[in-house]
Amino acid sequence: MTSLRVSSALKVEGSPFESFSIGEREVLSESAFKRMIAIERKRTERSKEPFLLVLLDPGNKNFSGSNESALERMASALLGSSRETDLIGWYKERDIVGVLFTGLEVSDKKTILNAILNRVKTTLRSESAFDQLNQISISFHFYPDDWGHSSSGHPSNTILYPDLFRPGNRRRSLLVVKQMIDVAVSALVLLLCSPLFLAIALAIKLTSKGPVFFRQQRVGQFGKCFTFLKFRSMHVDNDHSVHKAFVTKMINRDVEFEAVQKNGVYKLTDDKRITRVGRFLRRTSLDELPQLLNVLRGEMSLVGPRPAIPYELAAYQTWHRRRMLEAKPGITGLWQIAGRGRVRFEEMVRMDLRYAASWSPWLDIKILLRTPLAVIRGTGAY
């Protein structure tokens, strides 16, 4: 049996990571392997070549000599059958082994998954005892993923984004501060604006049939869906296909769509579905107030990217999805204070990514202070 041993440090973008080797091949440590997952994601965004992450879990969570032996045998078997472009490492140190299969063709995902599954099973069957093989859990995580569920039943996107899902200690502390600000400010505004809530509710009920609140499924951070709240600004039972067609063309930069957007507005400006009261609520952004309840429930933040509708997400390119990963969705953000509907979709995505990269509690406070002026000006609001 080949044993694992510490080898020379592996350097990734200037940072040393401990690695292990079996024979002539390295088994990356957990920190190095997860860093490589992040690097492969960025490469895929540029090259469009997908990759597959396979996780092998022996199932015995009580670490013992037999568990270590099974993991060593798995790693040794996989190293012997992998290509030079494939990477092997600990997804969870000395507990779960991960394999990155890179440089794949995107044409037939199912064929790729079946071929690699058979390859992994054959390799492990030849190297492992039958009872050990039956205990091994094998899960597949394809990138770009479909934001659905992986073969293991867990959301693939949380597995494929370990660097975002588990932030560093400093960022984790700042996120606690952000959450405290969210709860305190949203609770205070809800309390102070309760008379306004009542007045808006009465205006909606007296002028059109239907509920006071508009509820819609939206996609939050890491692809988790939640029920998004707004004051209803449209007639009930309307056709959403008009908006779906509009945003799909906008995201895809449709030539005909671009030709008719000469006024520089990238929102529906003459939507017949909107009620008279609803038009006022949208112009003043008062329809957004119920989202403070989403903030209190932890589904949104005061500041962050706007949460996407599922059919919008379906039209996203791979790099567009990062806006829904790197920060919790918010009521306001850089896009809102920069002009809202007058900002192109791709520029909005870049704003969201810039916000996520440079985020701090002070930046949130500055955006919140600038939001009332943006609301009063009403630029791009329809």
Side-chain angles (χ1 to χ4, degrees), residues 119-357:
R119 171 181 161 188
V120 169
K121 282 185 174 180
T122 300
T123 302
L124 292 177
R125 189 175 288 111
S126 64
E127 295 291 335
S128 304
F130 184 76
D131 58 339
Q132 287 180 324
L133 181 62
N134 283 342
Q135 294 177 12
I136 295 172
S137 172
I138 305 177
S139 61
F140 295 83
H141 310 273
F142 205 81
Y143 186 84
D145 61 318
D146 57 7
W147 286 49
H149 288 276
S150 65
S151 57
S152 64
H154 300 292
S156 297
N157 34 4
T158 61
I159 299 295
L160 290 165
Y161 299 87
D163 51 321
L164 300 178
F165 195 61
R166 297 182 181 274
N169 291 333
R170 182 176 181 277
R171 185 174 176 85
R172 192 179 297 114
S173 299
L174 291 177
L175 288 173
V176 171
V177 174
K178 181 181 177 73
Q179 186 175 14
M180 291 172 62
I181 294 173
D182 285 343
V183 172
V185 173
S186 57
L188 179 62
V189 174
L190 281 170
L191 180 63
L192 295 176
C193 292
S194 54
L196 180 59
F197 263 68
L198 180 59
I200 294 173
L202 286 172
I204 292 172
K205 292 299 289 184
L206 291 173
T207 56
S208 63
K209 295 180 179 180
V212 170
F213 294 116
F214 170 71
R215 292 175 170 85
Q216 185 181 50
Q217 283 295 105
R218 293 288 183 101
V219 183
Q221 193 174 21
F222 300 112
K224 183 178 180 180
C225 290
F226 66 97
T227 302
F228 177 82
L229 296 173
K230 293 180 73 173
F231 279 123
R232 182 174 58 83
S233 60
M234 293 185 177
H235 297 287
V236 295
D237 300 326
N238 56 70
D239 185 4
H240 294 290
S241 62
V242 175
H243 183 259
K244 180 179 179 180
F246 181 88
V247 296
T248 301
K249 290 180 179 180
M250 179 182 66
I251 294 170
N252 293 329
R253 298 289 297 272
D254 182 86
V255 176
E256 293 182 3
F257 172 84
E258 291 290 331
V260 300
Q261 300 306 120
K262 294 179 180 179
N263 58 355
V265 176
Y266 294 88
K267 291 191 74 174
L268 286 170
T269 57
D270 189 23
D271 196 337
K272 304 300 183 183
R273 302 172 300 166
I274 301 176
T275 65
R276 180 164 49 87
V277 170
R279 197 167 300 279
F280 170 78
L281 293 176
R282 289 190 170 206
R283 287 279 187 180
T284 57
S285 296
L286 291 174
D287 62 323
E288 310 280 358
L289 286 177
Q291 289 161 49
L292 293 168
L293 297 172
N294 290 120
V295 175
L296 282 179
R297 294 199 299 229
E299 298 159 338
M300 293 179 64
S301 176
L302 292 172
V303 182
R306 293 298 291 164
I309 304 172
Y311 59 70
E312 293 177 350
L313 187 64
Y316 279 11
Q317 295 179 29
T318 301
W319 74 277
H320 294 159
R321 294 181 178 186
R322 287 171 50 201
R323 66 179 294 272
M324 302 309 303
L325 293 166
E326 301 195 16
K328 185 181 290 188
I331 299 175
T332 186
L334 290 178
W335 170 69
Q336 286 87 340
I337 65 176
R340 299 170 71 175
R342 292 189 178 274
V343 178
R344 288 179 180 272
F345 174 77
E346 291 194 354
E347 182 56 30
M348 180 194 73
V349 175
R350 293 188 180 96
M351 285 181 179
D352 289 337
L353 296 180
R354 285 200 298 271
Y355 166 78

Side-chain angles (χ1 to χ4, degrees), residues 21-34:
S21 65
I22 297 178
E24 300 299 322
R25 295 290 301 277
E26 287 182 316
V27 178
L28 301 180
S29 67
E30 180 180 343
S31 57
F33 188 65
K34 289 183 176 179

